[in-house]
Amino acid sequence: MEIKFKSIGVVHSPFKKREDINPQKYAHPQGFDSVRGELEIHKEYEEGLKDIDGFSHLIVIFDFHESKGYNLHTKPLLEDTLRGVFSTRSPSRPNPVGMTVVKLIEQKGNILRVAGIDMIEGTPILDIKPYTSRDQKSTIRLGWLEKRMKKSFTAKKNQKEDKNG
Amino acid sequence: MEIKFKSIGVVHSPFKKREDINPQKYAHPQGFDSVRGELEIHKEYEEGLKDIDGFSHLIVIFDFHESKGYNLHTKPLLEDTLRGVFSTRSPSRPNPVGMTVVKLIEQKGNILRVAGIDMIEGTPILDIKPYTSRDQKSTIRLGWLEKRMKKSFTAKKNQKEDKNG
C-alpha cells in the first residue's frame, strides 16, 4: 500500500547542506535551540495557521528529501556501534520522515519564524501540529543515548538545561 | 511534488472505530495514558527495532487512514470555535499524518506492547523514533487549548500529572 503526501511548505535554514551540520557541535540536547530559521507555508494553506501564535512550540513533520536508501542497522553520528534504525533519529530510514519540535518566535502571515531548526534549507514540510501537554514526558529512559549524554554532560547540567528547553 | 511512503507496521488498538473514542472521557492530557495496545512491525523491518527496548517512550508517526478530506478551519471535538487546522491535532488535515508519543511496556520480537494508544485498530504505522531529551519542552504555552484545560482541571493537578507522564 502506497501512502501519498504533498509538501505544504518549505524550511529555510542556515544549514545549506547536510555537511553544514557539525555533529560535535550539535550533539547535546540543547544543541539546536539557538538555530533560527523559517517555516514558509504555501499561501494556499495559510488559513490553516489561524490560532497557531498561541502555542509556544510546534511539531514539524517533514520529508528527509535528500535521504537515499536505508539500512535496518545504522551507525549514529559520533558512535561506533550499529543500532536498529528505529532506535535512532537517522534520516536514512524505511520512510524518510522527520519530526522536530521547534519554538515559535513570531508569525508573519504564512511565515513562521522559529528556533530549534535541525533541517537543511529546502526541506519539504508535511505537517505542523501544536506541541501539547500530551507530548511532555518528564521521566524518560534513553537507551544507548543515555551513555552518550553521560559522556558529555553531568546529569545535573542536563536537568537544569531541560528546564529551559 | 508527491511524497510516497509505505506502511512499516500496523496498530492494534482497543478502539475498533473512531466512534469508540469518547471525547469527553479522553479530553484531558493523561486521558490515553492507560490505553494499551500493540505496534506490530512487519517482519521485514523487525531488525530495525534493535536497541529500542532501552527507551521508555517512542514517537509513532502514522497515517490517519480513515481521514477523508479536510478544511483549513476546523472545530475541535468539544469546542464551538473554528480553529486553524495546524493549531489542532485533527485527523482531517492536508496530509493526514499523525504523531503520538507512547510508553513502551515490552518488546517481543516484532511486537511492541505500549500504553498511550489514541489510534484506531488497523492504523498504518509509517515510522517509530525514540523520544529523547530534545522532545521534552517543559515551559509551554497552549493557545486555545489552555482555556479548555483550565475548564477541566486546576493548574496544580495538571502539573502533578505531567510529572507522571
Side-chain angles (χ1 to χ4, degrees):
Chain A
M1 186 186 52
E2 221 170 49
I3 296 158
K4 292 177 189 170
F5 293 132
K6 62 212 168 207
S7 156
I8 62 145
V10 65
V11 175
H12 297 299
S13 166
F15 306 120
K16 299 313 169 194
K17 48 188 197 304
R18 217 164 139 176
E19 296 72 38
D20 292 344
I21 306 181
N22 176 338
Q24 208 76 46
K25 185 172 170 191
Y26 295 107
H28 73 90
Q30 284 72 39
F32 291 95
D33 279 7
S34 60
V35 180
R36 294 197 172 196
E38 291 181 350
L39 310 176
E40 179 186 350
I41 305 305
H42 301 322
K43 274 283 181 189
E44 62 193 287
Y45 300 110
E46 180 175 340
E47 278 300 310
L49 295 175
K50 184 174 172 283
D51 305 305
I52 208 155
D53 59 351
F55 292 88
S56 59
H57 292 81
L58 305 176
I59 294 165
V60 187
I61 310 279
F62 56 92
D63 179 33
F64 283 118
H65 64 306
E66 296 210 345
S67 166
K68 308 263 178 270
Y70 68 93
N71 287 305
L72 290 176
H73 291 171
T74 184
K75 248 184 226 159
L77 288 171
L78 309 177
E79 298 286 327
D80 295 324
T81 312
L82 283 169
R83 305 293 178 185
V85 68
F86 299 124
S87 64
T88 77
R89 299 289 277 256
S90 165
S92 304
R93 39 207 317 122
N95 288 309
V97 58
M99 179 284 216
T100 298
V101 183
V102 298
K103 187 172 183 176
L104 178 60
I105 298 167
E106 185 186 28
Q107 179 193 0
K108 282 199 170 172
N110 66 322
I111 308 287
L112 304 174
R113 289 189 53 232
V114 299
I117 287 279
D118 63 353
M119 309 81 133
I120 62 171
E121 172 66 29
T123 295
I125 300 169
L126 302 180
D127 201 9
I128 306 273
K129 299 177 190 293
Y131 181 94
T132 79
S133 313
R134 287 194 54 205
D135 307 306
Q136 292 183 306
K137 305 296 174 189
S138 53
T139 311
I140 64 173
R141 276 187 305 117
L142 289 174
W144 65 267
L145 265 170
E146 203 107 32
K147 202 170 116 216
R148 173 195 290 194
M149 291 184 180
K150 277 183 193 149
K151 258 191 282 181
S152 343
F153 306 92
T154 65
K156 202 173 172 188
K157 190 168 174 226
N158 272 340
Q159 205 177 23
K160 192 180 155 208
E161 286 177 342
D162 276 348
K163 284 204 181 125
N164 305 323
Chain B
M1 186 187 52
E2 220 170 51
I3 296 158
K4 292 176 189 170
F5 293 133
K6 63 213 166 207
S7 155
I8 62 146
V10 66
V11 175
H12 296 301
S13 166
F15 307 121
K16 299 311 171 196
K17 50 187 197 302
R18 217 163 139 176
E19 297 71 37
D20 292 343
I21 306 181
N22 175 339
Q24 209 76 48
K25 185 171 170 192
Y26 295 107
H28 73 90
Q30 284 73 40
F32 291 95
D33 280 8
S34 61
V35 180
R36 295 197 172 197
E38 292 181 349
L39 311 177
E40 180 186 350
I41 305 304
H42 300 322
K43 274 283 181 188
E44 61 192 289
Y45 300 111
E46 181 177 339
E47 278 299 310
L49 295 175
K50 184 175 171 283
D51 305 305
I52 208 153
D53 59 351
F55 293 88
S56 58
H57 291 80
L58 306 177
I59 294 165
V60 187
I61 311 278
F62 56 93
D63 180 32
F64 283 119
H65 64 305
E66 297 210 344
S67 165
K68 308 264 178 270
Y70 68 93
N71 287 305
L72 290 176
H73 291 171
T74 184
K75 247 184 228 159
L77 288 171
L78 308 178
E79 299 284 326
D80 295 323
T81 313
L82 283 168
R83 305 293 178 184
V85 68
F86 298 124
S87 64
T88 77
R89 300 287 278 258
S90 165
S92 303
R93 37 206 319 120
N95 289 309
V97 59
M99 180 285 219
T100 297
V101 183
V102 297
K103 187 171 182 177
L104 179 59
I105 299 167
E106 185 185 28
Q107 179 194 358
K108 281 201 171 171
N110 65 322
I111 308 286
L112 304 174
R113 289 189 53 230
V114 300
I117 286 280
D118 63 353
M119 309 82 133
I120 61 172
E121 173 65 30
T123 295
I125 301 170
L126 302 181
D127 201 9
I128 305 273
K129 299 178 191 293
Y131 181 92
T132 78
S133 312
R134 288 195 52 208
D135 307 306
Q136 291 182 305
K137 305 295 174 189
S138 53
T139 312
I140 64 173
R141 276 188 304 117
L142 288 175
W144 65 266
L145 266 170
E146 204 106 32
K147 202 168 116 218
R148 173 194 292 194
M149 291 185 180
K150 275 181 193 150
K151 257 190 284 180
S152 342
F153 306 94
T154 66
K156 202 170 168 188
K157 189 169 176 229
N158 272 339
Q159 206 178 21
K160 193 181 154 209
E161 285 177 343
D162 276 348
K163 282 202 182 125
N164 304 325

